[in-house]
Amino acid sequence: MTYEKVLTKGIGEVDLTRIENYEAQGGYQALRKALKGMTPADVHAEVKKANLRGRGGAGFPAGLKWGFLPDDGRPRYLCCNADESEPGTFNNRMLIEYNPHLLVEGILLAAYAVRAARSFIYIRGEFRKGYRVLMDAIEQARAKGYLGDRILGTDFSQEIVVHRGAGAYICGEETGLLSSLEGGRGEPRNKPPFPAVAGLYGMPTVVNNVETLCNVPFIIDRGADWFLSIGTEKSPGTKIFSVSGAVNRPGNYELPLGVTLGELLEVAGGLKPGSKLKAVQPGGASSPVLLPNNLDLPLDFDSVQQAGSILGTAGVMVFDQNVCMVRTALYYADFFSHESCGQCTPCREGTAWTARLLRKIERGEGTPADIEVLKSLRGTMSGTTICLLSDFSITFLQSVLKHFADEFEAHIHGRACLAERPREVLSA
Amino acid sequence: MTAQNPARANGAHGQAWWERRAEDVERLISRYPKSRSALMGLLWMAQEERGWVAPEDMEYIAQRLGISRAYVESTCSFYSLYHRKPVGRYVITVCGNIMCGLSGAEALIRHFEQRLGIKLGETTADGLFTLLVTGECVAACDGAPAVQINEEYFHKVTPERADQIVQALRDGADLVELSERIGLIQPGAVWEAGESA
C-alpha cells in the first residue's frame, strides 16, 4: 500500500526547517493565493466545505468552530494547541520539529480567515527543540514578508507569539490552555461561555490543534474537493497515526482516514516477532480498547466511535500478550491522578481513589467489592466536573473491566498475573 | 541556553539576570496584549539563568508585572518543569508513562541510580546530575524508553546508551548537539538503528 503523503511530505528527505526548501515544494503558495485572491470569508468557506475535523481528539469541524465567533468588534485571537501530551501521541511534535513552516502557514491562513488580532502557539514546555525551531521559522517567514506588518504587501498583518508551557497535561484542554496563556494555573473553566465567545482575555478565541491547522494550506491550495476525495465521506483527509508498542516499526504514519487497523499495523511493520495481538488503544490514554477482532475496523472518527472507542488523537498503542491490563489501568490511574488540576472534587478525589484501588488489586490484595466500586465510577466521575479529564480518566478502565475481567479476577483470586512476561509497575 | 550554572544568576558585577537581560524581558512582555501572560516566560528565563526559580526571582517577577508574589508562586507551583529548589546542571527526566513504562523505564531508573550513585529525586554531589521521573507522556513513544535532559530528547535509552550519554556530558559535551547526534530523535531513527526490538 502506498498513499500520497500530504502533511509529512518531505520529512526525512529534505530539511523543511529551511524556508527555501519548504517553498520549493509549494510552501506559502496557499498563503499567497488566499491573500491575493480570496477574502477571509472565502478561506473560511473552503475550510468549512472541506469538513476539516479537529485532529486534537474531538473531531469537531474546524470550519464550524470558526463560525462561532461573534462579530461584535472585539479583538479575536487564534490559539494553536501544541500542548501535545496525550499518552501515545507524538505527531504534533514531528510536525513542529520537522515541518514548522507548514504550521506557520496554516496559522496565518486561519488567522486571516477568522480575522484574528494576534495568534499564539501554546507549546508544551517539554518541546524545547520545537520551540527553537518555531521561533526560527517565524523569523525566516518574517524576513520573506510572510509574517508581520502588511504581509506580501496586503492589508493583512499578523504576529505569532510562541508561548511555552511548563509541564501540565491539563493545559491541552482548551480552557486550561487559555488560563495558562494568561499567566495563571492551567485550570479549566466552565463552559459556557465557550472560548469562541469569551476566550483569551475574555475575547472571542479559536483554539485549534497543530495537525488541524497544518491541513489548512493544502485545503486552500488544492481546494476542498481535493481534500474531500481523501479519506471517508464523513472523515475526509489524512491523519498522522502515531503507532507505538508491539510493532516492528513504531512511528508516525500519515494515511487516509478510514484505513483499517490491520492495514495500519502492517504499515508499521507488523507485530514484533513472537507478539500476539491482545488489544489496541486507537487514540490515547482514554480510548477504550479495540480487540484482535477489530482488525478490519476503519480508523475514522465515526467508525471507531461505533465500535465503542474513540479515534481521539490517533495515538495508537499496540499491546501484546506481555502486557497486563490491570497494570496498564494502574499506569493511567496514576497519570490522571497526578494531572488532575484539583479544582473539582469528583476528579481530585476520584482519580486518587481509583489509583489506590487499582494498586491494591494489582498487588493481589483486592476484593470483588473493589471491582464493583471501579465499575460504579461512571456514576460519580462522569459529567460531574468542569472539564472532561475526570470522565476520560475512567473510560479505558471501564473497557478493560469488561473485556479483560479474567485478568482482574486472577489478580484478586489467584493472586497472579495472566500476562506472559509482565513488566514492573513504576512506583508512583 | 541549556547551561544551568548557579554562578550565572548574578553576573560578574553582581548584576541580576533581569538587569542583564532587561531587553529580553521587555521584548517578552511586549509580545502579549496583557503583561501577566509573560509570567511563564519570565519563570523560564529565571530557570535558564539560575537553573531553578528562586524566591527573589518570583519577587522580581511579581514586582515587574504588578501582581502579587502569591500569584506568581501559585502559577509556578502548578507546573512540574519549574524547579523551586536547586537542581543539578543536567536534570535527567525518565518518562514514566505507559509506553516507556512497558519498555523498561523502571529498570532504566534503577540503572541511572546505580550509575550516578543517587536515588530518584536526588542530585549528585558534584552538582552535575539530578534524576527525576515524570508521569506525563513526553511524546516519544516510538522511542521508548525515552529520557529528557533539560528538555532535550534521547530516545530508546538502553543502559548502555544511558552510560554513553552520562559520560559524554561529564566530558563536557554540548547537550543539544549530543541529543541530535546520539539521541535517535529523527523520525525512524530508532528502528533504522536496529534498536526497535
Side-chain angles (χ1 to χ4, degrees):
Chain A
M1 285 158 294
T2 48
Y3 296 105
E4 190 201 347
K5 288 181 183 175
V6 183
L7 279 63
T8 58
K9 188 187 166 198
I11 292 179
E13 290 153 30
V14 274
D15 180 6
L16 293 173
T17 65
R18 305 309 314 160
I19 197 165
E20 56 276 14
N21 293 339
Y22 178 68
E23 288 174 313
Q25 63 175 45
Y28 289 110
Q29 282 307 318
L31 181 67
R32 207 174 283 276
K33 179 179 175 181
L35 297 191
K36 301 284 184 184
M38 297 169 81
T39 65
D42 292 340
V43 174
H44 184 181
E46 201 67 19
V47 171
K48 204 169 171 180
K49 185 183 171 196
N51 190 21
L52 169 61
R53 299 179 64 172
R55 273 28 177 180
F60 191 82
L64 279 183
K65 206 175 194 182
W66 295 359
F68 292 151
L69 296 176
D71 206 355
D72 56 9
R74 290 183 295 160
R76 300 162 157 199
Y77 296 113
L78 173 69
C79 296
C80 168
N81 186 344
D83 191 56
E84 178 175 63
S85 8
E86 187 57 38
T89 313
F90 45 92
N91 51 51
N92 287 184
R93 183 182 154 211
M94 181 186 67
L95 286 171
I96 291 166
E97 291 180 359
Y98 295 95
N99 205 355
H101 287 287
L102 178 61
L103 178 58
V104 169
E105 188 179 8
I107 289 172
L108 291 168
L109 285 164
Y112 179 68
V114 304
R115 289 175 283 123
R118 196 168 299 197
S119 298
F120 299 87
I121 300 175
Y122 186 100
I123 185 167
R124 69 182 293 195
E126 287 84 351
F127 289 179
R128 190 186 275 269
K129 176 179 174 179
Y131 174 76
R132 283 194 300 267
V133 169
L134 280 173
M135 294 297 275
D136 182 48
I138 286 168
E139 291 317 310
Q140 290 182 52
R142 188 189 307 281
K144 289 257 187 175
Y146 294 131
L147 185 146
D149 289 334
R150 302 187 56 80
I151 295 172
L152 295 173
T154 67
D155 288 338
F156 176 60
S157 300
Q158 192 67 201
E159 281 299 331
I160 300 177
V161 178
V162 188
H163 182 97
R164 285 186 78 194
Y169 171 74
I170 196 59
C171 292
E173 197 278 340
E174 62 179 6
T175 60
L177 181 153
L178 296 174
S179 298
S180 183
L181 192 43
E182 289 175 2
R185 299 164 69 85
E187 291 170 346
R189 309 167 180 175
N190 270 312
K191 294 189 269 194
F194 286 89
V197 176
L200 188 63
Y201 313 121
M203 300 300 166
T205 303
V206 167
V207 184
N208 285 142
N209 169 265
V210 169
E211 191 183 350
T212 310
L213 290 165
C214 283
N215 273 285
V216 175
F218 297 102
I219 291 169
I220 298 308
D221 189 38
R222 305 184 192 181
D225 289 330
W226 164 82
F227 190 78
L228 288 162
S229 73
I230 302 170
T232 68
E233 193 190 341
K234 288 183 175 167
S235 298
T238 66
K239 181 79 191 77
I240 306 176
F241 295 90
S242 299
V243 187
S244 62
V247 292
N248 283 313
R249 291 198 301 270
N252 286 308
Y253 296 96
E254 184 183 15
L255 298 167
L257 278 159
V259 67
T260 67
L261 177 59
E263 281 176 284
L264 178 64
L265 298 186
E266 203 56 47
V267 170
L271 291 175
K272 282 183 180 175
S275 279
K276 293 190 286 282
L277 185 63
K278 183 175 199 170
V280 173
Q281 278 189 280
S286 56
S287 55
V289 284
L290 298 175
L291 300 169
N293 63 11
N294 288 125
L295 284 174
D296 292 329
L297 180 71
L299 297 177
D300 60 70
F301 293 108
D302 305 297
S303 303
V304 178
Q305 196 164 13
Q306 279 156 23
S309 187
I310 50 168
L311 185 62
T313 54
V316 180
M317 294 178 275
V318 184
F319 301 129
D320 67 10
Q321 73 280 11
N322 297 322
V323 178
C324 167
M325 287 300 159
V326 179
R327 293 180 181 194
T328 303
L330 175 55
Y331 264 105
Y332 287 141
D334 278 336
F335 164 68
F336 283 116
S337 171
H338 185 261
E339 297 303 329
S340 170
C341 83
Q343 284 188 101
C344 308
T345 310
C347 179
R348 183 184 65 241
E349 304 300 320
T351 52
W353 277 101
T354 305
R356 208 171 294 183
L357 279 182
L358 281 167
R359 180 158 282 107
K360 192 178 149 202
I361 293 169
E362 196 276 330
R363 285 179 180 157
E365 297 159 7
T367 65
D370 295 331
I371 302 282
E372 293 313 308
V373 172
L374 291 178
K375 283 183 179 167
S376 74
L377 291 176
R378 220 187 276 273
T380 45
M381 290 178 70
S382 296
T384 52
T385 51
I386 292 173
C387 81
L388 291 172
L389 187 140
S390 181
D391 304 58
F392 285 155
S393 74
I394 56 167
T395 42
F396 169 80
L397 172 62
Q398 298 306 317
S399 81
V400 287
L401 281 167
K402 182 178 165 194
H403 294 296
F404 296 95
D406 56 333
E407 297 202 14
F408 284 83
E409 280 158 20
H411 271 267
I412 287 174
H413 299 297
R415 308 272 190 267
C417 183
L418 292 184
E420 285 182 18
R421 289 185 293 120
R423 295 285 190 176
E424 289 303 307
V425 175
L426 279 168
S427 39
Chain B
M1 280 265 289
T2 53
Q4 299 191 344
N5 185 348
R8 282 176 52 203
N10 293 306
H13 309 290
Q15 208 181 14
W17 63 264
W18 53 83
E19 291 167 0
R20 209 162 14 84
R21 294 188 61 185
E23 267 183 45
D24 293 341
V25 170
E26 296 315 312
R27 194 179 313 124
L28 177 73
I29 294 171
S30 72
R31 287 192 187 133
Y32 296 99
K34 295 200 176 177
S35 64
R36 183 177 292 194
S37 287
L39 203 169
M40 292 184 73
L42 291 174
L43 290 169
W44 272 121
M45 223 181 262
Q47 186 152 306
E48 271 166 34
E49 294 297 330
R50 196 187 296 279
W52 59 294
V53 182
E56 56 261 47
D57 297 328
M58 294 203 227
E59 190 62 51
Y60 160 72
I61 293 169
Q63 206 183 356
R64 177 62 191 82
L65 298 179
I67 55 182
S68 71
R69 162 79 181 270
Y71 189 93
V72 176
E73 289 212 31
S74 167
T75 292
C76 184
S77 63
F78 189 82
Y79 300 94
S80 60
L81 294 181
Y82 295 133
H83 307 301
R84 281 172 293 139
K85 53 181 188 189
V87 289
R89 178 168 177 183
Y90 298 110
V91 178
I92 300 175
T93 306
V94 177
C95 176
N97 204 280
I98 185 72
M99 278 303 152
C100 292
L102 292 173
S103 306
E106 174 86 14
L108 181 60
I109 291 167
R110 301 296 155 244
H111 182 81
F112 272 121
E113 285 183 332
Q114 207 174 19
R115 166 85 191 189
L116 299 172
I118 53 174
K119 292 278 175 207
L120 196 57
E122 294 176 350
T123 300
T124 53
D126 60 4
L128 212 49
F129 297 103
T130 298
L131 180 63
L132 301 176
V133 62
T134 177
E136 256 207 273
C137 175
V138 300
C141 316
D142 53 344
V147 164
Q148 283 212 306
I149 303 180
N150 299 359
E151 294 92 53
E152 303 298 341
Y153 279 96
F154 293 86
H155 287 187
K156 203 74 194 176
V157 183
T158 56
E160 299 72 40
R161 286 170 37 71
D163 290 349
Q164 194 188 354
I165 293 161
V166 166
Q167 193 55 49
L169 291 173
R170 278 192 176 138
D171 293 343
D174 177 83
L175 180 61
V176 174
E177 190 271 334
L178 191 68
S179 163
E180 292 289 339
R181 185 161 55 82
I182 67 166
L184 297 179
I185 59 174
Q186 294 78 16
V190 167
W191 51 265
E192 275 164 18
E195 295 263 16
S196 81

